[in-house]
Amino acid sequence: IVFGDWSSDVCSSDLAKESFSVGSISSLEFREVQNNLSKAYNMLINARYLTKVKETELLLLSGQILK
């Protein structure tokens, strides 16, 4: 399952890193970008897990998996 394009999020993180290194953003702003990327990635992992759980439930209900 593919959920969106993560390259843009990683690019945002790289841009924030560069901005921080030249002093355009504060360490707090940089940390906020890092936290947002981490939260988004965790949401993706959770969505993939829940999708797999529901897929397994459907297979059980349809009799394609025996208990």
Side-chain angles (χ1 to χ4, degrees):
I1 297 173
V2 176
F3 290 94
D5 180 17
W6 283 94
S7 62
S8 64
D9 294 328
V10 172
C11 286
S12 295
S13 178
D14 291 341
L15 179 61
K17 186 176 183 179
E18 183 67 27
S19 296
F20 176 68
S21 69
V22 298
S24 296
I25 63 172
S26 69
S27 59
L28 184 61
E29 291 168 318
F30 180 61
R31 185 67 180 139
E32 187 175 337
V33 170
Q34 289 178 319
N35 282 336
N36 288 341
L37 181 61
S38 178
K39 287 178 187 177
Y41 189 65
N42 285 334
M43 288 172 60
L44 172 65
I45 292 169
N46 190 48
R48 287 181 174 168
Y49 172 76
L50 292 176
T51 300
K52 189 54 76 174
V53 167
K54 294 302 177 183
E55 178 185 346
T56 303
E57 288 176 8
L58 286 172
L59 291 171
L60 279 169
L61 289 170
S62 67
Q64 295 180 29
I65 294 179
L66 300 175
K67 290 185 179 183

